[in-house]
Amino acid sequence: MAALPFSTTCRHSNSSLHHNSKSSFTGFSQTNIGHLFLIRKCSSRRAIRKLCVKNVASDKKQEQNDPLTEQGTLDKFIPDSASIAASIKYHAEFTPSFSPEKFELSKAFYATAESVRDSLIINWNATYEYYERMNVKQAYYMSMEYLQGRALLNAIGNLELSGPYSEALRKLGHNLENVANQEPDAALGNGGLGRLASCFLDSLATLNYPAWGYGLRYRYGLFKQLITKDGQEEVAESWLEMGNPWEILRNDVSYPVKFYGETTSGPDGSKEWIGGENILAVAYDVPIPGYKTKTTINLRLWSTKVSPEEFDLRAYNAGDHDKAYAALKNAEKICYVLYPGDESIEGKTLRLKQQYTLCSASLQDIIARFEKRSGKAIDWDSFPDKVVVQMNDTHPTLCIPELIRILMDDLLPRHVEIIRKIDEEFINEIISEYGMNDLDLLDQKLRKMRILENIELPNSVVELINSSIEIPDTDTVEEIDVVDSDIKATEDKEEEEEAKEAEEDEDEDEVGKEEPEEDDGEEEPSVEEDTKSKPTWTFKVDSKQPAMVRMANLCVVGGFSVNGVAEIHSEIVKEEVFNDFYELWPDKFQNKTNGVTPRRWIRFCNPDLSKIITKWIGTEDWVTDLEKLAILRKFADNEDLQFEWMESKRRNKIKVASFIKERTGYDVSANAMFDVQVKRIHEYKRQLLNILGIVYRYKKMKEMSDEERKKSFVPRVCIFGGKAFATYVQAKRIVKFITDVGATINHDPDIGDLLKVIFVPDYNVSVAEMLIPGSELSQHISTAGMEASGTSNMKFAMNGCLLIGTLDGANVEIREEVGEDNFFLFGARAHEISKLRKERAEGKFVADARFEEVKAYVRSGVFGSYNYEELMGSLEGNEGYGRADYFLVGKDFPSYLDCQDAVDEAYRDQKVSDLLAGLSV
């Protein structure tokens, strides 16, 4: 039997992957999935040919302090405003991106950023000189996206230089906030996945962990969102058009990445990759500073290109320009756009190229860095003691076969072969665990858990299973007690049957009837013939369905740790998504609820509130230890704190109102409740539920007199923001619907400031930093069980905003922390969802009258001539694609309306000072 390499020990010595050498581990972990490989001890990686994959986790702990301060690596010089002003003037003159005549805002930003970068580089170099000297274990974080936001204010805040930089710019005729607003958001991410990655890097640096991030340098980002009369339109991001002052091109750091081609085998068993498409991945480094520490870590982004030799000069001079630069364009387009549309084969191929480029270039770099630190004598047993790679989601799954490829084949790309081998080894683990007595159970487990889907089992596995099948035993003679009458009855019955058979034989057609053989007088030996053939077991595949690699299964199989990103999500991962794997490896699964950095999301984006918190707590330590916020509880009833808190919120709301006017042209009242839902537009996030609730509210208002309206409803400004993926038609319909509703309500003189609907275009980190501090109600209303975690809910909560939501994602933990009275809960629970969908399919769902009323109102044309039948139709019917209200908007609609009534009631009942008594808050 083949080795069972995914257990703690390799028990079978006859595995083609098994070896007897001393072994060690190199670790991978991930937000959702972690990976770990056992690598053979060898003095050179070029000689590594065999491996065994296992699942273990190190329980070694490292205490992290600021290494540079403790070691005295850096001096204690702290720049003052005069030296900073001189540095800014220097960069404006000697590292210019603009004409020298004027020192305008855009030029001031680049000069200021380059000045800050000087300080970061000093800390950055010292950080890695120290890590190189100490040869510490390094964490590498791989993510397809990083939603960084602007860097200037965050960097000078972490360096504790906000005051000196503000003063320096004032001396130079500029305001720091205006200068910072010139910075475009880095277009490297889209949603929570990217924001989580950026928060991780900030926290790793702040906690002084030796860490390094890897990603791709997308030239045009996801897209820039425009809102027109037709809804959402997409144009390319332009964040790199003026250059990026934070990045440093490393021309000396590039790695070959190859696609296509084929492998050939030499007589000695060696492999060679021939043909194919060749590109180069070039490194761009971005420093990531920690808060109140000299530790500055690195985000390395890969850009793609080809060598000049790939430019076909002959074709160019012959006029065939497309052919001339085809290789160049094929390489460059890998890093053009984040998440290119994948409905076409070309799109799917491009996404795969992006993922492989990230994995291959990053792992080559990690290995090169390990070899450099090791010196001449490379001890590959120490590789797992020095390297751990965390992967954000399943996009970097190709790291698993890619690391094996690099270590075993010296840059040979035979990933499918390697994945097949991992799949075969894992199949043997399944067989070992569940045995071969119950082949139906084994078949079920293989179909659910295999890495390769709809692909025949290896011959060795089929032979192993069939060899275990025993030939059925022949009938045994059993001695029983009978009476004479039973024997007589049996004999009579047998005689009757024999006579009947003889009559039937005589009536048969004579054609083809064999002549009886002549008796030669010799008696043949008596032989008991085997009339029972041995049964065989087969694993059937569907030739009409595609053969697939299950990336998630590959991650779980290769991982030493698999974690969900919220309590409820982790339970769903264990009980539903990967239940079979959880039963096999229960210790591998754990929970790691996501988090956010309080530096960017309170300290820097809401300085007003931060000062109040620090004043009442008595220390600024809460910025790195949020547990200290609990001290505020004892002041909750203090009217002075309430006054300061509400004044701070009001000032932030005035900023938001000004921002909305600038971005959308709409005037909103800071006296209204600011009700916000900002996140990626998706059906499961249920922006549709929110806007239908607003439509119902508007309809009820229109049915009332002016006096009744004001008495019945709290004034609200309902703010939306988020991007719908370019090819996600239904999500784009939702954006169009929201903007149409807003255009109608916002121009209705009967309603005035009682209700406004705002869609903020091109939502990004900088927009979030503006909106969140001024928000009072935030909506996190996804269908229960469908939001992995959510992190914007944490940002809103930290800024003194109440939440309305379902028991989904991190809402569960937030509600536990803030208390049930401070969370407006509604909707079906996660464990009820499958049953509710089943009932819907059976025609048992009966919609609330208010839900039917609001759909009819939309269809009446009150919001314009656009045909919303597809959108409304998705909420109707009992089955069918795009029908049957899969996300349970109709089911949760009545409880959502009731919960919003409770929000209104709570908003009216705020205990504030006389100064705020006249406000509608």
Side-chain angles (χ1 to χ4, degrees):
M1 183 183 291
L4 308 179
F6 299 93
S7 57
T8 332
T9 55
C10 287
R11 299 185 294 274
H12 304 276
S13 61
N14 62 337
S15 166
S16 61
L17 294 185
H18 183 74
H19 56 82
N20 295 318
S21 304
K22 182 180 177 182
S23 301
S24 60
F25 296 87
T26 168
F28 285 76
S29 63
Q30 178 199 21
T31 300
N32 292 334
I33 310 294
H35 303 282
L36 186 68
F37 297 101
L38 173 61
I39 307 299
R40 179 185 179 186
K41 178 181 180 182
C42 184
S43 60
S44 168
R45 76 177 164 104
R46 310 308 181 203
I48 295 177
R49 306 300 301 176
K50 295 183 179 182
L51 60 103
C52 184
V53 188
K54 294 185 179 180
N55 294 286
V56 298
S58 172
D59 50 6
K60 294 180 180 179
K61 303 288 185 182
Q62 290 180 229
E63 290 189 6
Q64 303 299 328
N65 298 309
D66 183 349
L68 307 183
T69 301
E70 290 186 352
Q71 296 292 321
T73 306
L74 296 174
D75 57 37
K76 301 297 184 180
F77 172 71
I78 300 176
D80 57 16
S81 60
S83 63
I84 288 172
S87 174
I88 293 172
K89 290 172 67 176
Y90 171 85
H91 282 289
E93 183 174 358
F94 294 106
T95 55
S97 300
F98 301 87
S99 300
E101 293 85 6
K102 298 179 181 179
F103 188 64
E104 295 179 334
L105 277 173
S106 54
K107 184 175 183 178
F109 161 67
Y110 280 89
T112 303
E114 287 157 346
S115 168
V116 177
R117 194 183 70 176
D118 289 346
S119 297
L120 296 182
I121 289 176
I122 293 171
N123 293 349
W124 190 19
N125 290 338
T127 298
Y128 282 99
E129 285 173 9
Y130 174 80
Y131 290 154
E132 291 281 327
R133 186 171 67 254
M134 301 302 294
N135 195 17
V136 296
K137 185 172 185 176
Q138 183 97 19
Y140 297 97
Y141 189 85
M142 286 195 199
S143 179
M144 284 298 291
E145 55 172 299
Y146 292 87
L147 200 56
Q148 293 288 91
R150 293 169 174 165
L152 179 58
L153 292 181
N154 189 75
I156 63 176
N158 279 358
L159 292 169
E160 299 181 271
L161 293 175
S162 299
Y165 265 93
S166 180
E167 177 64 18
L169 284 168
R170 187 189 64 77
K171 292 177 179 178
L172 296 173
H174 288 296
N175 173 275
L176 174 58
E177 185 174 343
N178 293 337
V179 170
N181 286 338
Q182 297 299 305
E183 180 178 6
D185 276 39
L188 299 171
N190 175 36
L193 193 74
R195 189 54 238 165
L196 174 69
S198 297
C199 285
F200 261 131
L201 294 188
D202 177 275
S203 293
L204 285 166
T206 299
L207 295 172
N208 300 304
Y209 278 100
W212 196 302
Y214 283 109
L216 295 182
R217 182 178 178 266
Y218 302 106
R219 181 172 179 179
Y220 301 117
L222 183 71
F223 58 80
K224 182 175 181 179
Q225 182 191 55
L226 304 179
I227 299 298
T228 70
K229 63 180 179 60
D230 297 318
Q232 172 182 295
E233 292 185 8
E234 305 88 22
V235 297
E237 286 272 13
S238 58
W239 74 290
L240 287 175
E241 288 305 294
M242 303 289 286
N244 180 5
W246 305 108
E247 67 183 14
I248 299 173
L249 169 62
R250 304 295 192 188
N251 282 308
D252 60 330
V253 181
S254 64
Y255 296 97
V257 180
K258 194 177 181 71
F259 309 105
Y260 307 114
E262 60 183 0
T263 60
T264 60
S265 299
D268 60 350
S270 63
K271 302 273 189 174
E272 182 183 3
W273 188 10
I274 59 175
E277 178 183 314
N278 302 284
I279 68 166
L280 284 175
V282 182
Y284 285 76
D285 287 349
V286 180
I288 308 294
Y291 177 71
K292 289 189 176 182
T293 174
K294 299 297 184 182
T295 298
T296 302
I297 65 174
N298 188 41
L299 171 59
R300 175 158 285 179
L301 303 172
W302 300 109
S303 185
T304 46
K305 68 175 188 178
V306 292
S307 63
E309 290 80 6
E310 297 288 339
F311 181 75
D312 193 337
L313 188 60
R314 180 176 298 178
Y316 186 85
N317 288 328
D320 193 348
H321 299 156
D322 289 342
K323 179 182 178 183
Y325 51 70
L328 175 66
K329 292 301 180 184
N330 279 335
E332 288 182 346
K333 72 181 182 182
I334 291 173
C335 292
Y336 273 170
V337 175
L338 169 65
Y339 299 142
D342 61 352
E343 293 185 345
S344 65
I345 291 296
E346 292 78 11
K348 289 181 172 65
T349 301
L350 185 55
R351 283 207 186 188
L352 187 60
K353 282 186 172 183
Q354 288 182 331
Q355 294 171 11
Y356 177 59
T357 298
L358 171 64
C359 294
S360 181
S362 301
L363 285 171
Q364 289 182 69
D365 193 47
I366 290 168
I367 289 174
R369 288 172 52 77
F370 172 77
E371 289 178 328
K372 178 186 174 185
R373 286 189 181 185
S374 299
K376 294 182 180 179
I378 301 175
D379 178 13
W380 285 97
D381 264 356
S382 69
F383 189 50
D385 298 325
K386 300 299 181 183
V387 172
V388 61
V389 178
Q390 183 168 349
M391 303 196 301
N392 194 15
D393 212 294
T394 58
H395 303 124
T397 301
L398 285 172
C399 281
I400 300 171
E402 176 65 4
L403 179 60
I404 297 173
R405 176 190 75 80
I406 294 173
L407 293 173
M408 291 182 65
D409 294 350
D410 190 13
L411 307 178
L412 174 69
R414 56 181 184 95
H415 302 85
V416 173
E417 295 176 23
I418 292 171
I419 292 172
R420 282 184 181 275
K421 198 62 186 176
I422 296 174
D423 181 61
E424 182 176 350
E425 295 297 318
F426 179 52
I427 289 170
N428 286 319
E429 173 76 355
I430 295 173
I431 293 172
S432 176
E433 178 68 21
Y434 295 102
M436 294 176 284
N437 292 330
D438 187 342
L439 293 183
D440 289 337
L441 174 64
L442 181 61
D443 184 273
Q444 178 186 5
K445 293 294 181 180
L446 290 173
R447 293 188 185 280
K448 286 183 178 180
M449 301 176 71
R450 276 192 71 189
I451 294 167
L452 299 177
E453 180 180 6
N454 203 38
I455 294 178
E456 293 179 350
L457 291 174
N459 290 335
S460 61
V461 173
V462 176
E463 291 170 2
L464 172 67
I465 294 173
N466 280 320
S467 66
S468 70
I469 300 176
E470 297 180 359
I471 301 175
D473 294 334
T474 58
D475 294 339
T476 58
V477 177
E478 185 177 356
E479 188 174 301
I480 59 174
D481 294 328
V482 296
V483 296
D484 291 344
S485 59
D486 291 335
I487 297 174
K488 177 62 176 173
T490 302
E491 289 176 348
D492 292 343
K493 185 176 181 181
E494 288 176 353
E495 289 176 358
E496 291 176 2
E497 290 177 351
E498 287 174 2
K500 184 177 181 182
E501 289 175 3
E503 291 176 0
E504 290 174 351
D505 290 341
E506 291 176 1
D507 294 336
E508 286 183 354
D509 192 346
E510 295 293 321
V511 177
K513 190 175 183 180
E514 294 184 359
E515 293 293 330
E517 294 183 0
E518 294 183 2
D519 187 353
D520 58 7
E522 294 184 9
E523 184 178 351
E524 293 193 3
S526 174
V527 179
E528 182 178 346
E529 296 189 2
D530 181 9
T531 60
K532 298 182 181 293
S533 61
K534 182 178 180 179
T536 59
W537 181 85
T538 59
F539 185 83
K540 296 180 180 179
V541 299
D542 188 346
S543 60
K544 297 180 181 179
Q545 298 298 320
M548 307 284 284
V549 176
R550 293 164 165 161
M551 292 299 201
N553 288 16
L554 179 56
C555 282
V556 175
V557 169
F560 72 80
S561 175
V562 180
N563 65 271
V565 291
E567 182 180 314
I568 187 173
H569 178 244
S570 295
E571 290 305 308
I572 291 172
V573 165
K574 291 190 296 185
E575 300 301 326
E576 296 179 24
V577 181
F578 293 125
N579 181 253
D580 292 284
F581 292 94
Y582 175 62
E583 290 178 352
L584 183 62
W585 297 314
D587 294 337
K588 182 187 294 191
F589 291 82
Q590 53 182 277
N591 176 60
K592 291 288 184 295
T593 299
N594 283 347
V596 298
T597 167
R599 272 75 64 188
R600 180 179 289 271
W601 294 111
I602 301 186
R603 179 63 181 81
F604 303 143
C605 78
N606 198 347
D608 215 6
L609 180 60
S610 297
K611 291 176 183 176
I612 294 171
I613 294 172
T614 299
K615 171 188 171 182
W616 286 86
I617 288 179
T619 177
E620 204 179 37
D621 291 349
W622 63 269
V623 179
T624 53
D625 183 5
L626 287 178
E627 295 292 332
K628 287 185 166 56
L629 290 177
I631 298 173
L632 287 172
R633 288 191 178 123
K634 64 184 179 181
F635 304 114
D637 294 327
N638 188 293
E639 292 187 357
D640 291 336
L641 173 58
Q642 292 174 1
F643 177 84
E644 293 175 17
W645 195 282
M646 296 302 297
E647 272 289 270
S648 170
K649 180 66 70 174
R650 178 167 172 76
R651 286 191 291 270
N652 284 325
K653 288 174 69 176
I654 291 172
K655 290 180 182 179
V656 171
S658 176
F659 173 79
I660 288 173
K661 175 67 174 177
E662 175 190 339
R663 288 294 184 95
T664 70
Y666 288 125
D667 289 304
V668 299
S669 171
N671 293 336
M673 181 203 303
F674 280 16
D675 172 355
V676 181
Q677 187 181 18
V678 283
K679 51 184 76 243
R680 179 165 51 95
I681 308 297
H682 197 290
E683 288 172 277
Y684 90 83
K685 292 180 182 288
R686 299 203 295 191
Q687 286 91 351
L688 184 55
L689 174 61
N690 186 350
I691 192 62
L692 286 175
I694 293 169
V695 168
Y696 185 81
R697 189 182 187 91
Y698 174 63
K699 183 177 185 296
K700 297 294 111 177
M701 287 181 175
K702 293 293 286 182
E703 295 170 355
M704 297 177 180
S705 66
D706 185 58
E707 184 178 347
E708 289 173 327
R709 280 195 289 268
K710 291 178 179 178
K711 183 179 179 180
S712 300
F713 295 99
V714 166
R716 287 204 197 197
V717 177
C718 301
I719 303 170
F720 293 84
K723 296 179 179 180
F725 191 66
T727 58
Y728 190 175
V729 176
Q730 192 75 327
K732 295 177 77 170
R733 287 190 185 116
I734 293 171
V735 174
K736 168 66 173 166
F737 183 39
I738 294 169
T739 57
D740 281 353
V741 171
T744 299
I745 294 176
N746 298 345
H747 292 99
D748 190 329
D750 293 339
I751 302 302
D753 287 339
L754 199 56
L755 183 62
K756 297 289 185 184
V757 179
I758 306 296
F759 192 99
V760 179
D762 203 36
Y763 177 70
N764 56 23
V765 174
S766 296
V767 174
E769 290 171 341
M770 172 61 68
L771 295 180
I772 290 173
S775 301
E776 294 170 295
L777 179 73
S778 180
Q779 305 214 24
H780 303 273
I781 56 177
S782 54
T783 310
M786 300 198 71
E787 184 72 84
S789 174
T791 53
S792 64
N793 45 10
M794 304 175 191
K795 299 163 194 170
F796 282 99
M798 287 195 303
N799 282 271
C801 179
L802 296 183
L803 307 184
I804 180 173
T806 53
L807 272 184
D808 198 22
N811 283 357
V812 177
E813 287 101 319
I814 291 176
R815 184 169 178 260
E816 291 173 355
E817 290 294 323
V818 304
E820 295 180 7
D821 292 342
N822 297 312
F823 189 101
F824 297 97
L825 178 67
F826 76 96
R829 306 304 193 255
H831 68 274
E832 300 173 325
I833 301 301
S834 59
K835 179 182 177 182
L836 291 170
R837 287 180 177 146
K838 184 174 182 289
E839 290 176 354
R840 180 69 181 241
E842 294 170 350
K844 296 178 181 178
F845 172 70
V846 178
D848 186 271
R850 292 170 290 180
F851 188 57
E852 295 300 309
E853 181 182 352
V854 77
K855 288 188 295 177
Y857 192 57
V858 172
R859 285 180 165 126
S860 71
V862 67
F863 300 113
S865 59
Y866 186 84
N867 185 357
Y868 283 108
E869 190 55 40
E870 288 288 339
L871 195 58
M872 294 299 103
S874 69
L875 306 174
E876 298 174 336
N878 295 326
E879 58 184 357
Y881 180 76
R883 302 278 294 175
D885 193 12
Y886 183 80
F887 301 97
L888 278 69
V889 173
K891 172 62 181 177
D892 284 350
F893 188 72
S895 63
Y896 177 70
L897 293 183
D898 295 341
C899 199
Q900 288 287 12
D901 289 341
V903 170
D904 275 7
E905 190 63 28
Y907 199 75
R908 290 189 183 98
D909 187 27
Q910 296 191 26
K911 183 179 179 182
V912 294
S913 67
D914 291 340
L915 180 63
L916 299 175
L919 301 178
S920 299
V921 293

